[in-house]
Each structure stands twice: as structure tokens, then as C-alpha cells.
Amino acid sequence: MYKSKITGVGHYVPDRIITNEYLSTIMDTNDAWIVERTGIHERRWFTPGKDTLASMSVNASKIALERAGLSNKDIDFIIFATITPDYFLPGEGVLLQRELGMQGIGALDIRNACSGFIYALSIADQFIKTGMYKNILVVGGEIQSSALDKSDEGRSSAVIFADGAGAVVVSRSNSEKSAILSTHLHADGDHAEELYCSSPSSCQEVRISTEMIDRGDFFLKMNGNAVFKHAVVRFAEVIQEALDANGKTKHDIDLLVPHQANLRISNYIQQKLGLPDEKVFNNIMYYGNTTAGTIPIALSEAFEQGKLKEGDLVCLAAFGSGFTWASALLNW
């Protein structure tokens, strides 16, 4: 059985910065209200006609490949985590493959929302451990801003979600000092409608209609209180599960990179684990919640800021729509 490790990281966010002050001009909100409830000061939204999910992911992937010391010909497989593809079909993985000139290799799309990147990382880990592939490109990215209700009614979601993409290269490793130790995946579909978008829908007579548009069915719907209450419990559980599986304790963690859902959630988990600020990486303040993109974007930024050292014990954790939740423990 082989080991796998992350050998390269990269990210890209749109140039368009959306401040809390700007949002206060289009809906009934203000900077103090947003910061108190989410910790977000600004976020990035895509520019129509310039940015696509594919173009953002290409930029992130090229950086990850360069940092891994690999070319596009070295990649054996692509796994793309997103719930906001450029097309209803085909999946985003083949669009990224086309732009990177990787024709012929497999491309897999997964739709696990905020937990999507860790699900994708887990799949890559299994493929490499079994010897099927040597180098896999794993991408998490979203364009969420076009699915937001930017009215007073939708402000609780509109102030949170944003756009961006992150990528990692997962490669075969011969070293115990640098390897993915374990991944842990969970879901509970009983809560599917607490955070969801009901249209377009294949179970309707037509996938989208004037009536659906008038009702705002294509806008993201979120029960914020329910998400928060479940998230703080599941985050703590799945982090502890990863530590227990590897005979580690919270004191062994060198860096916790949580899904950037809400700074209040991250701070709660940090306090529960008793971790100092330097052992938890957050960037939601500047990028908002980019769903499947948050963890790879955060990993890339942490790398750029020198907060990841070889051999560090790194814990990734996520919770989101589904409900789904997941964790990964790795030696950097």
C-alpha cells in the first residue's frame, strides 16, 4: 500500500472586491451587523465576461502544478469539487482538463458542497494508495455570487458566500513524514433542506420555468441557526475522530484549517480545542465562504505565508450542505 501527500497548492480569487459597505447600499445591512454575525469584512465576486469557474480553476491549478514541480503531462486524474459548475452538464472537470491540455485522463466531479474538497482529497488518497494513479489534481471552486438573493430577504446568505478556486496536487509518497494519514467522511440527509437550492430541478416538468424564477427557487436557501448548531457539534466530533484514529491529541496539531463557513464557528471550535491563534488558519474575513474552495484557498495562503512546515501535523475539517461533514489529518 502506497502513501499519498500534497505536493503543490495554489489558489485564485477574482479581482472584484465586495465590501460590507457596498452591500449596505443594495440591501438593509451594515458593516457592524455582518462582522458580528460572520466575521467577514469583504469577499470576492466574479466579473461576468471575464471570470468563469474553469478560468479561476486553471489559474489555481497552474500554480499548484508549478509548486509541485510537475507539468500537465504528469497528472493522471482530475477530481473537481463544486456545486456551481459553468454548465448544468458536462461536469467542470472536463472543462478544466480541456483548458489545461490534459485530454484523455479521467475527470471526476463531486457535489458535496462545503465538505467537497475533503471528500475529493479522500478519493484521491484512495486512488494513490491502491497504486492506480501517481499524481492527481484536486480542485475545489465555486461561483456562488450569481446564486444569491441580494435583497433584504436574502441578506443572511448574500453577505456570506463568495467566489474563488483552490487546487492541490496529490502525489505518491515514500515518506511517513509527509503523507495523508487518514480521512473521515459523514453525511445526514435528514437535514438536506436546511441549506439547499431547489432549482434547476430534473424532477420538475421543466428544469426551470418563469414560475420558478418568480418564486426565487434558484436562490440559495439557508436556515442559519440550524446550520450553526449542527456545525459546532460535527466539527468537534470529526476532528476528534481523526486524532483518535491516528493516536494523536489536540496538542499535537500544528495547524487546523477549518472550512471557512463563519468566523464564529471557527472561533468556537478553536476555543473548544484550546488552540492558540497561531495554530488555526482563517481567511474568511477577506474572502467569505467559497464553499468547496475555502480549504484549498486557505492551504495555499498558509503555504505562502510560511505557516506550513515539512512534518507539521495539519488537520482539515469541514461541515456544510447535505448535511455533510469530513476531516483529514496529514503530515505536511
Side-chain angles (χ1 to χ4, degrees), residues 5 7-8 19 23 29 44 65 71 75 79 82 93 120 133 139 152 158 180 188 205 208 215 232 254 274 305-306:
K5 66 176 180 179
T7 56
T19 64
L23 292 181
T29 190
R44 305 295 181 97
L65 284 167
S71 73
I75 297 298
I79 306 175
T82 187
Y133 298 122
V139 180
D152 292 350
I180 296 173
D188 186 350
E205 185 174 357
I208 192 159
R215 291 195 302 265
V232 293
D254 292 302
Q305 295 174 20

Side-chain angles (χ1 to χ4, degrees), residues 10 23 26 30 41 59 73 76-77 88 92 95 97 108 110 118 127 132 189 198-200 205 210 255 315 329:
L23 292 181
I26 62 174
N30 58 69
H41 293 268
N59 288 329
K73 294 180 175 59
D76 306 310
F77 196 68
F88 193 86
E92 197 67 29
L95 303 182
Q97 179 208 59
L108 173 67
I110 62 171
I118 299 182
F127 273 136
M132 186 167 184
S198 61
S199 292
E205 185 174 357
T210 302
L255 192 66
C315 185
L329 197 67

Side-chain angles (χ1 to χ4, degrees), residues 45-305:
W45 286 357
F46 85 115
T47 299
K50 175 186 176 184
D51 299 310
T52 65
L53 183 57
S55 71
M56 294 193 300
S57 302
V58 165
N59 288 329
S61 298
K62 286 181 177 179
I63 296 170
L65 284 167
E66 181 180 357
R67 288 174 175 166
L70 300 175
S71 73
N72 58 352
K73 294 180 175 59
D74 296 313
I75 297 298
D76 306 310
F77 196 68
I78 295 170
I79 306 175
F80 204 121
T82 187
I83 55 170
T84 57
D86 288 322
Y87 299 150
F88 193 86
L89 64 98
E92 197 67 29
V94 297
L95 303 182
L96 175 62
Q97 179 208 59
R98 177 176 65 187
E99 297 303 313
L100 289 174
M102 296 180 178
Q103 286 83 351
I105 66 171
L108 173 67
D109 280 53
I110 62 171
R111 292 173 48 85
N112 289 85
C114 299
S115 301
F117 176 76
I118 299 182
Y119 268 73
L121 186 67
S122 180
I123 295 168
D125 183 40
Q126 312 314 313
F127 273 136
I128 288 176
K129 281 180 175 176
T130 60
M132 186 167 184
Y133 298 122
K134 290 183 179 179
N135 299 298
I136 299 177
L137 179 62
V138 180
V139 180
E142 309 285 357
I143 291 180
Q144 289 281 21
S145 60
S146 55
L148 301 177
D149 179 359
K150 303 178 184 72
S151 69
D152 292 350
E153 184 179 355
R155 65 176 181 170
S156 61
S157 297
V159 303
I160 293 175
F161 292 96
D163 311 333
V168 305
V169 176
V170 183
S171 303
R172 187 180 296 178
S173 171
N174 296 318
S175 172
E176 293 284 347
K177 294 181 179 179
S178 181
I180 296 173
L181 301 178
S182 65
T183 57
H184 308 270
L185 312 177
H186 299 279
D188 186 350
D190 287 346
H191 306 283
E193 285 75 31
E194 301 290 12
L195 176 52
Y196 79 122
C197 185
S198 61
S199 292
S201 170
S202 59
C203 67
Q204 304 289 334
E205 185 174 357
V206 292
R207 287 182 176 175
I208 192 159
S209 65
T210 302
E211 291 76 13
M212 294 177 195
I213 294 172
D214 290 341
R215 291 195 302 265
D217 291 353
F218 57 91
F219 287 139
L220 186 72
K221 303 293 194 304
M222 179 175 69
N223 181 343
N225 288 334
V227 172
F228 186 92
K229 289 176 182 177
H230 283 82
V232 293
V233 173
R234 298 306 190 185
F235 258 110
E237 287 179 351
V238 81
I239 291 170
Q240 191 60 52
E241 180 182 6
L243 293 171
D244 290 345
N246 294 281
K248 304 290 186 180
T249 73
K250 60 186 180 182
H251 305 293
D252 295 314
I253 295 175
D254 292 302
L255 192 66
L256 171 66
V257 183
H259 162 58
Q260 305 294 293
N262 185 311
L263 190 59
R264 291 170 58 210
I265 295 175
S266 295
N267 288 342
Y268 180 91
I269 298 305
Q270 177 181 348
Q271 293 169 9
K272 189 175 181 66
L273 293 173
L275 297 175
D277 290 345
E278 62 269 20
K279 288 194 172 187
V280 181
F281 191 87
N282 288 302
N283 61 3
I284 190 173
M285 304 81 74
Y286 311 110
Y287 296 136
N289 180 347
T290 56
T291 314
T294 69
I295 290 178
I297 291 172
L299 275 174
S300 179
E301 280 214 321
F303 174 80
E304 292 175 353
Q305 295 174 20

